[in-house]
Amino acid sequence: MQSTKLAHGRLASALALALCALPALADQNDPRHAEVKDLDALVVRASPLPQTAETLTRPVEVLAGSRLDEVRASTLGETVNRLPGVQSSYFGPGVGRPIIRGLEGARVQVLSDGLAAGDVSTVSVDHAVSIEPFLADQVEVLKGPSTLLYGSGAIGGAVNVVEGRVPERASATPLEGRAELRAGSGNDERTGMLRLDGTSSSGRLVFHLDALHRETGDYDIPGTAERAGLHEDHDDEDDHAPGEGVRGTLPGSAVRTDSAAFGLSWIADRGFLGAASSLYNSRYGVPGHAHGHDEGHGHDGDDGHEHEHGEAGEDDAVHIVMDQRRYELRGGLDGLGAFDTLRVKLAHTAYTHTEYEGRAVGTVFDNESAELRAELVHRDWAGWDGAFGLQGSRRDFRALGDEAFVPDSQSRDIGLFWIGRRSFDALDLEIGARHDRNRIEVDAATAIGASREVDATSLSAAARWHFGEDLHLSLGLDRAQRSPTAEELYSDGLHVATRSHEFGDPLLRRETANRVELGLHWHRGPLTLGASLYAVDYRDFIYLADTGIEDGGATARLWTQADARFTGGELDLRWTLVDNGSGRWTLRGFGDAVRARLAGDGVREVDFAIPHGDHAHAYTAQLPLSGYLPRIAPWRAGAELRWEGGAWRAGIGAIRHARQDRVAAHETESPGYTLVTANLAWHRDTADGSAIEVFVDGTNLLDEQARPHTSFLKDLAPLPGRSIAAGVRLFF
């Protein structure tokens, strides 16, 4: 314990020295810390065609500058979940993946500067995304099918995190960057980060360096960890009585994360060539699996490190250690005759995810992946500006251990696409097409099913009409296809982290989505209004169905498919109430809703067996072909009041999450809740061109018990209670 405290002290001292010393190295007139005032004017890097959020014909949300600083969280899902139509999965504070319009997992692609993250967060809901939001420059959320750009795994959308680890241009000054120290009350958070970007005197050699360390203990909760009445329907005398259980602090919710990267580029007159190396390591508990551990004692963990109370260690039933090493090579050329630019990106990722049960290793997931992406942007061809693209990837996945419920597999994907745009007097038009071939080869020793090769074709068209400068109407039409993943096809066994037996179906077909969306954007003076309505018809929609059958305390869940329909809408209103000597007062309101139903009739009978030593228990599941889909978030409505005046800015907001009573078979309802947040910051530009910012952020200020319907752990692990975080940021 003493060595841990000394390490914490050395970390804090080093970062404090960095905060004090680095401004002296910065250029006297560095504008890098200038605040982003108009997010709609930022160029969206996820598209090969340079466009802003305002000019894109398809729906997109962008976070950057102070707006990103105010919502940064330990997971990517939590960082973006205040945007209309975007929510987060939840498997404890270490795991949160974006959910876009009710779609998640293998349908939402998570990208690092346009390339897949390379983790295995789509394999299971307890696997974390290997991207650190605190190191992001910009976060872009593409809502609706993005298969045209990013293939089968983006049929529900994509989230692109712009980190700039491979510099593409010289920095504005010889050295610039930012640093941050923060501490939180609700989980004893301690976070420190540092980023540096520099350019040689010749302007040709550019480097990037970033590092982050975060530690949190088990977080505070209002009420009990387990939902009241959870065991009312069970007769086992060993079950907890209703309302009993852990109170005040949620065991198994500690997180420790380390991330670092170094990149170096050569900048030429007409292009660049650069490379980067990065690591991401996270250790986090799985709440709901360790309610009986002994509190208050330090101990030696399985990795040889001493842990204080609050960290995931030997007394926890399940905790996870993940480690990722990533290497990237990127290059670009400009001015190639009939072509504007050529961009080539290559990434290789080695990822390991280890699930511990106490000190014993339960399951190890190894994932080695490589991805190549090339984009060639052409000039005016018969009135069309556009881009050709090639994307290829491979993934070698291995699972080791007695509870490796997913067999070893090798995935190979190749895709070709073209996207083009053209503007008329009052009309912007964008069209595109893509074809992918996906192949999955399974270890023959599993004898579960044959290898699969599936072709997928996607088509897209979008139009925007300009009715003057104030009103824009948009229409989007898409036909997108997705190939089933190895997890959906071949899962077969007990998954301890989710307390379930998962069974895939090797005969699953590709799914096809047909989408139509109407959008409106209107702005007049201080008022801006955005709205959209959409409907998506899925043929052969693949989902994980709960059978209602329990065996050995674990629920049986089957991957199956049926036709489905998603319908929904979003509303976003921004109104500048006052802009005078008292400051700038802005009111924002938003709401979103999605309904997802199976579109068939009757039931489907599926036979399966759960092995027990040298014998097996046989079951027959009745899977309905109608009704609601599982884990779909209810409607939300939120409001936020912001004020900016001089060196100060502040905001307070609330989001009401409705009760979810439209539930799937064998799924419990979820009560509604309201989350209130607030922030206050003081920003000062110094005489040497740098800037300092002191901030205070509050979350769940009403200390309300919140159980998101999207979470597998909603009945065992509520969201954190009231928490106050404070810290200092330095820009130089």
Side-chain angles (χ1 to χ4, degrees), residues 356-611:
Y356 289 91
E357 301 170 44
R359 288 187 171 185
V361 175
T363 312
V364 179
F365 299 91
D366 286 326
N367 190 69
E368 186 173 350
S369 63
E371 182 178 3
L372 171 67
R373 184 177 179 89
E375 299 170 346
L376 184 61
V377 179
H378 65 76
R379 296 175 180 172
D380 188 339
W381 288 7
W384 292 87
D385 296 326
F388 294 97
L390 167 68
Q391 182 179 7
S393 65
R394 66 167 178 82
R395 185 186 86 160
D396 295 333
F397 176 84
R398 296 174 298 278
L400 307 173
D402 293 337
E403 286 139 5
F405 67 100
V406 182
D408 297 352
S409 64
Q410 299 81 42
S411 302
R412 304 291 185 267
D413 302 330
I414 186 73
L416 294 169
F417 68 88
W418 176 81
I419 184 172
R421 67 181 182 189
R422 183 173 182 177
S423 294
F424 301 90
D425 291 339
L427 176 67
D428 295 331
L429 186 62
E430 181 179 290
I431 60 174
R434 178 179 178 123
H435 184 75
D436 289 274
R437 173 160 292 182
N438 312 111
R439 180 172 178 80
I440 300 175
E441 298 178 354
V442 185
D443 186 348
T446 63
I448 292 178
S451 299
R452 294 285 301 273
E453 185 169 284
V454 180
D455 289 340
T457 301
S458 298
L459 304 171
S460 176
R464 174 182 289 223
W465 288 269
H466 303 272
F467 296 90
E469 296 183 355
D470 299 332
L471 179 62
H472 313 290
L473 296 178
S474 61
L475 171 66
L477 300 172
D478 297 275
R479 177 187 183 272
Q481 293 185 319
R482 183 179 78 88
S483 303
T485 65
E487 298 77 46
E488 295 164 341
L489 292 168
Y490 305 120
S491 292
D492 183 26
L494 175 66
H495 188 195
V496 173
T498 59
R499 291 181 174 178
S500 65
H501 302 277
E502 289 189 24
F503 298 94
D505 182 354
L507 300 180
L508 290 175
R509 301 172 297 277
R510 69 187 175 198
E511 62 182 28
T512 301
N514 294 295
R515 179 194 72 124
V516 59
E517 177 168 353
L518 292 172
L520 176 147
H521 183 83
W522 177 75
H523 55 88
R524 175 68 63 86
L527 190 63
T528 301
L529 174 66
S532 63
L533 293 172
Y534 60 87
V536 188
D537 282 326
Y538 275 92
R539 187 171 69 249
D540 296 326
F541 183 81
I542 301 170
Y543 68 101
L544 185 61
D546 194 332
T547 64
I549 297 171
E550 288 195 4
D551 186 299
T555 300
R557 296 189 173 103
L558 308 181
W559 286 103
T560 186
Q561 62 186 166
D563 293 345
R565 164 167 271 219
F566 285 69
T567 56
E570 298 156 11
L571 182 69
D572 193 359
L573 172 68
R574 285 169 284 175
W575 185 11
T576 303
L577 302 172
V578 177
D579 191 358
N580 55 27
S582 68
R584 180 184 178 92
W585 297 80
T586 305
L587 178 67
R588 174 180 176 252
F590 83 92
D592 57 38
V594 60
R595 180 179 295 187
R597 294 183 60 96
L598 295 172
D601 294 306
V603 297
R604 174 186 296 138
E605 291 190 351
V606 179
D607 296 325
F608 65 97
I610 298 177

Side-chain angles (χ1 to χ4, degrees), residues 625-645:
L625 299 178
S626 61
Y628 295 104
L629 283 164
R631 293 173 295 281
I632 300 297
W635 64 263
R636 299 183 302 173
E640 176 190 45
L641 180 64
R642 287 175 56 87
W643 168 76
E644 299 175 64

Side-chain angles (χ1 to χ4, degrees), residues 21-22 38 66 89 155 183 231 264 266 279 291 299 340 369 372 380 414 530 544 552 572 689 714 718:
L22 285 172
D38 186 3
S66 62
S89 67
I155 196 171
H231 300 277
L264 190 65
W266 176 262
L279 66 87
H291 287 180
H299 56 271
D340 276 332
S369 63
L372 171 67
D380 188 339
I414 186 73
L544 185 61
D572 193 359
K714 67 185 180 72

Side-chain angles (χ1 to χ4, degrees), residues 11 88 142 210 285 321 325 423 435 505 719:
L11 170 68
S88 177
L142 303 179
D210 66 55
V321 178
R325 308 300 165 100
S423 294
H435 184 75
D505 182 354
L719 295 182

